[in-house]
Amino acid sequence: MMFDRLYEKDVAISGIGQSEVGRPSNKSAMRLTLDACLEAIADAGLTRDDIDGVSCWPGDNNNGDAFSPVGPNALIGTLGLKVNWYGGGYEGPGPLAGVINGAMAIAAGLCRHVLVFRTITEATRRQTDKGASALTNKTVGRDSSAAWQWYTPFNVLSGVNLMAMYAQRHFHDYGTTPEQLAQIALTCRANAALNPKAIFRTPLTMDDYMASRMISTPLRMLDCDVHCDASTAIILSRADAAKDGPNPPVRIEAIGAALHQPWSWDQLDLTAMATRDCGDMMWSRTDVKPSEVGSAQLYDGFSILTMMWLEGLRLCPRGESGPFVEGGRRIALDGQLPVNTNGGQLSGGRTHGLGYVHEACSQLWGRAGARQVAPHQVAVVASGGGPLGGSLLLVRD
């Protein structure tokens, strides 16, 4: 379905920034955030006075929780910004919600330059609380009145338990194999070896993968992302304003944010989750075709999610992500469709959403160093799992 006005086409990414990625970092959450945001502002050729909007996901809604220790309020005060609009909050289409909301604010005429950021300090928190990011915090803690309470009787104590059920169904329905699933982890590790910020850079073999501890069948330890401390920031600018900056604008050609299913982790399409809805919406808003995509940064909080995003975004036929990634050649840096070129979250570090946008822009601008893929104009970014899902189609002018 096409719409009368496609607001995202009025918006471009003009600058990017990222702090160190530590496991853990010695810097505070705010210091990491400032490092990323100031770098992004400078990269866009702007000053703090130019920033008139701030957006993030999910915002500081839990008083400094490691999942999101810094929100818009604190950042605005610390940087001394004068904004016309700002926002944050958990409810939305997953980790890319900050980008999507910021783009809407620009298209609505509220802002000219929006600073979007995502900070996470789970590596530091897990030094003292090994369950800092586990679902036990939701099922038996402060959110016990929410939907999570219904999973507790079934020992769903971690996100891996939910994702393992999706993976098992994918294996059952489509014949996906552990060796195929392993290619996501192996590809991410090979790419991370070329990324100086990546958490894990040592070589990884199929034998290493198969020998890694089973966490929740069929997902092994190496199918799970790596907690870290980091902050990532991007600058969204009105498209005409972005043309004045030092970088070729990376236009937001299309957005996917649809959810045509119940918001529930257990009542979704079990082999696609929200990915198909996002993909259908995104491709309906552009004339660009999946075959034109030159790199793909696809959420790998767990390896099965990357495979589902490949299918949901029509980068391969539904049910065929296993054969598509088999052997790893198609998704390698020099392959048909390079995937998670910075090592993703499985080896690069769980920067949780915005890190994929940072990497996509680095690739489109030819700034990815040793991991740079062949020159291309179109990249896709997708983030989220379960009912949380968002995607961006990015085009370099």
Side-chain angles (χ1 to χ4, degrees):
M1 175 181 179
M2 294 299 293
F3 297 84
D4 292 336
R5 181 167 180 266
L6 306 180
Y7 73 89
E8 61 265 47
K9 298 183 191 298
D10 297 333
V11 183
I13 298 171
S14 57
I16 59 175
Q18 189 174 64
S19 71
E20 68 178 26
V21 180
R23 185 176 164 89
S25 170
N26 290 323
K27 295 184 177 181
S28 69
M30 180 56 78
R31 183 67 261 173
L32 293 170
T33 306
L34 293 175
D35 287 350
C37 291
L38 292 173
E39 182 178 287
I41 292 170
D43 189 50
L46 303 174
T47 70
R48 284 180 290 171
D49 291 338
D50 296 309
I51 303 300
D52 54 3
V54 172
S55 181
C56 78
W57 181 90
D60 181 14
N61 55 1
N62 285 319
N63 298 315
D65 185 271
F67 182 68
S68 184
V70 179
N73 295 344
L75 183 63
I76 289 168
T78 304
L79 281 178
L81 302 177
K82 298 176 182 178
V83 299
N84 296 325
W85 173 89
Y86 62 97
Y90 179 78
E91 292 178 271
L96 294 179
V99 180
I100 295 169
N101 291 340
M104 287 193 290
I106 290 174
L110 300 178
C111 309
R112 184 178 174 88
H113 300 288
V114 174
L115 171 60
V116 184
F117 72 97
R118 176 78 174 100
T119 303
I120 197 162
T121 54
E122 289 184 321
T124 291
R125 182 63 58 85
R126 284 172 69 86
Q127 287 188 310
T128 56
D129 178 6
K130 295 298 184 184
S133 64
L135 298 185
T136 47
N137 289 335
K138 296 180 179 292
T139 55
V140 299
R142 57 181 176 271
D143 296 328
S144 59
S145 62
W148 296 108
Q149 66 182 303
W150 306 113
Y151 308 142
T152 305
F154 301 98
N155 287 323
V156 178
L157 302 179
S158 169
V160 70
N161 302 132
L162 291 169
M163 296 304 157
M165 291 189 286
Y166 298 135
Q168 194 66 59
R169 184 59 180 261
H170 201 278
F171 277 36
H172 176 273
D173 286 1
Y174 303 128
T176 310
T177 68
E179 290 79 9
Q180 292 170 341
L181 185 65
Q183 293 301 330
I184 305 300
L186 296 180
T187 297
C188 285
R189 182 61 63 87
N191 296 345
L194 303 175
N195 177 9
K197 286 189 176 182
I199 298 295
F200 291 145
R201 302 178 63 195
T202 56
L204 183 67
T205 67
M206 180 67 78
D207 287 343
D208 295 330
Y209 173 86
M210 290 299 178
S212 69
R213 182 163 52 97
M214 188 69 74
I215 304 297
S216 191
T217 307
L219 301 182
R220 293 170 162 83
M221 181 178 67
L222 290 173
D223 291 306
C224 306
D225 61 11
V226 183
H227 294 96
C228 66
D229 297 345
S231 183
T232 308
I234 68 169
I235 303 297
L236 295 177
S237 298
R238 209 171 65 192
D240 59 343
K243 294 178 181 178
D244 298 330
N247 301 312
V250 172
R251 291 188 295 102
I252 301 180
E253 169 67 19
I255 280 174
L259 182 64
H260 298 165
Q261 306 169 66
W263 200 106
S264 171
W265 290 82
D266 60 346
Q267 297 179 43
L268 292 160
D269 182 330
L270 296 180
T271 59
M273 301 179 294
T275 66
R276 194 73 175 180
D277 295 341
C278 289
D280 288 348
M281 175 183 171
M282 186 182 77
W283 294 118
S284 77
R285 299 171 71 85
T286 180
D287 293 327
V288 176
K289 305 301 181 187
S291 59
E292 298 178 61
V293 174
S295 66
Q297 314 300 332
L298 307 178
Y299 193 72
D300 60 342
F302 299 94
S303 53
I304 188 63
L305 295 175
T306 304
M307 297 177 71
M308 289 189 180
W309 277 114
L310 281 168
E311 297 176 13
L313 295 181
R314 303 180 185 274
L315 299 172
C316 73
R318 184 163 187 176
E320 296 184 21
S321 59
F324 185 84
V325 305
E326 189 166 3
R329 290 302 315 149
R330 284 194 184 91
I331 59 174
L333 292 179
D334 58 352
Q336 170 188 332
L337 181 68
V339 170
N340 295 353
T341 52
N342 66 345
Q345 296 188 162
L346 293 179
S347 286
R350 177 182 155 91
T351 52
H352 211 242
L354 219 55
Y356 299 107
V357 182
H358 184 280
E359 178 64 12
C361 291
S362 296
Q363 290 288 344
L364 290 171
W365 283 329
R367 290 162 40 178
R371 64 185 187 278
Q372 181 67 49
V373 305
H376 56 289
Q377 301 297 114
V378 181
V380 69
V381 175
S383 190
L388 295 163
S391 61
L392 305 172
L393 188 65
L394 303 178
V395 176
R396 174 183 167 170
D397 283 341

